[in-house]
Amino acid sequence: MDADERLRAGRLAAQRLTPATACKSAEEAALAVIGVQAQDLRAAALALRSRVPGLTRSAVRAAPLLRTWTVRGTVHLIAASDRPWMHALFARRNARVFGARFARFGIVEEVNAMRGDVVELCGERPRDRPSLLRALIERGHPSLEQGPINTFVPWLSTQGLIVTDTTGLLHAADPPPAVALDEALAILGARYRAGYGTCDATDLAKWSSLPITQARRALEAAGPPSDVDLLPTDDTPPCLLLAAFDTLMLGYRTREPFVVAEHDHHILRGGGMLKPVVLNRGAATGTWSIKKGRPEPAWFARPTPAPALARETADIERFLAS
């Protein structure tokens, strides 16, 4: 096994993408990788499926998960128990970014005036975004244009006022308990190292969007690697169909050695849209999409063995039908 193969095998094991390290529940999988990107809820559920043998969509819906904005200012599906320390690390940074957008639109006072009604309305019953915006207009608040609309719910989440469930409905929420920055960084460092395998501060900074100084503090506080180096690395699956935005593709400074540099344009084609990836023994050799309810690959390198591909395809069909 050469260096690239060892790195791939170790990271696949840490990410719970091998049979020996697979998780037993959607919550355990979300905890293992500190959440999965979730602007596309089906893709988020498929990312959990890759880590939990036999997982069903109903089990994802029933799991103690919530959808909120965390690393990179991007919406993620996380374990509810992770909300306090992740809020401590990312909410203020994200709030500044989202608030600056409102300042550019000139509507800071208007959106601040909506907060109390948002809590009251979402406390009455869970709401989707359109029904919340209609109810706010009925209460005399101005209609939001397209740009502010896309920022409104993320900004509310950074205030600790709402959380979103696994179906996309908004719920009123109390701000999470305060967690000190040093404690939150220590949790992050330990959890990132355990869930992402061989890594350094540049990997953590790229994945999290934290400054490199804080990424170093996080890993230093976590101490030296321990159990992550003991994970079995000899059962790399012959085929994996990873969901769009899977953490394996986003969790490090680069996508190498899973994706060779000359093939990266097949995975990320601009606009920040990361395609679903086919792994052949841990190396990306294609992308895939759902066509007529069935996964279909598009190869840019050596295809995976047909029997292994058929098993993965069948399991995705099973999951989507569950």
Side-chain angles (χ1 to χ4, degrees), residues 147-201:
I149 283 175
N150 292 335
T151 302
F152 188 54
V153 171
W155 175 78
L156 289 168
S157 79
T158 68
Q159 310 299 302
L161 300 176
I162 62 161
V163 294
T164 311
D165 65 23
T166 55
T167 67
L169 292 178
L170 309 174
H171 299 250
D174 293 325
V179 177
L181 177 61
D182 285 346
E183 180 184 353
L185 284 172
I187 295 170
L188 173 66
R191 295 277 299 281
Y192 179 75
R193 181 172 282 153
Y196 287 75
T198 302
C199 59
D200 60 24

Side-chain angles (χ1 to χ4, degrees), residues 1 6 9 12 24 67 70-71 78 90 121 123 130 133 137 149 161 167 172 184-185 189 261 274 276 304 320 322:
M1 186 181 290
R6 284 195 299 273
L12 285 166
K24 294 182 173 60
R67 188 170 174 261
T70 62
V71 298
I78 67 170
F90 302 110
L121 289 165
L133 294 171
I137 292 171
I149 283 175
L161 300 176
T167 67
L185 284 172
L274 198 72
T304 58
L320 293 177
S322 65

Side-chain angles (χ1 to χ4, degrees), residues 33-314:
V33 292
I34 324 177
V36 292
Q37 196 160 319
Q39 65 264 56
D40 180 336
L41 280 168
R42 184 174 75 171
L46 285 167
L48 297 175
R49 176 212 68 93
S50 293
R51 293 162 170 85
V52 185
L55 185 67
T56 63
R57 294 175 73 185
S58 59
V60 174
R61 290 191 293 269
L65 305 174
L66 57 86
R67 188 170 174 261
T68 190
W69 280 256
T70 62
V71 298
R72 303 185 303 282
T74 305
V75 64
H76 279 67
L77 198 62
I78 67 170
S81 59
D82 275 344
R83 182 179 176 232
W85 70 266
M86 295 194 81
H87 188 86
L89 278 182
F90 302 110
R92 184 174 297 179
R93 291 173 56 83
N94 292 340
R96 285 199 300 269
V97 173
F98 300 145
R101 294 177 190 169
F102 291 141
R104 290 196 296 273
F105 292 123
I107 57 169
V108 172
E109 291 185 5
E110 288 83 350
V111 294
N112 276 317
M114 295 179 185
R115 293 193 298 180
D117 282 333
V118 166
V119 173
E120 186 176 326
L121 289 165
C122 291
E124 291 173 356
R125 61 177 174 83
R127 295 175 181 267
D128 59 19
R129 190 180 72 172
S131 71
L132 173 61
L133 294 171
R134 285 195 300 270
L136 287 169
I137 292 171
E138 290 169 2
R139 291 195 173 197
H141 294 287
S143 175
L144 296 177
E145 301 299 328
Q146 188 61 40
I149 283 175
N150 292 335
T151 302
F152 188 54
V153 171
W155 175 78
L156 289 168
S157 79
T158 68
Q159 310 299 302
L161 300 176
I162 62 161
V163 294
T164 311
D165 65 23
T166 55
T167 67
L169 292 178
L170 309 174
H171 299 250
D174 293 325
V179 177
L181 177 61
D182 285 346
E183 180 184 353
L185 284 172
I187 295 170
L188 173 66
R191 295 277 299 281
Y192 179 75
R193 181 172 282 153
Y196 287 75
T198 302
C199 59
D200 60 24
T202 61
D203 294 309
L204 177 52
K206 180 65 181 291
W207 170 78
S208 68
S209 73
L210 290 175
I212 188 67
T213 53
Q214 290 193 356
R216 291 192 185 107
R217 283 172 59 190
L219 291 177
E220 288 167 3
S226 54
D227 293 347
V228 69
D229 287 338
L230 303 177
L231 292 172
T233 58
D234 57 354
D235 63 343
T236 297
C239 176
L240 283 171
L241 297 183
L242 298 182
F245 306 106
D246 192 275
T247 59
L248 189 74
M249 296 289 107
L250 289 169
Y252 311 94
R253 183 175 58 83
T254 75
R255 279 179 279 281
E256 297 180 279
F258 296 103
V259 184
V260 298
E262 65 194 66
H263 290 156
D264 198 65
H265 69 281
H266 294 290
I267 310 301
L268 183 64
R269 294 197 172 187
M273 301 303 293
L274 198 72
K275 294 177 70 67
V277 176
V278 187
L279 295 186
N280 182 353
R281 292 289 176 188
T285 59
T287 60
W288 63 278
S289 58
I290 300 288
K291 295 184 179 178
K292 297 182 179 180
R294 181 178 177 81
E296 289 193 11
W299 305 109
F300 52 75
R302 184 179 179 181
T304 58
L309 177 63
R311 286 193 295 272
E312 268 286 88
T313 297

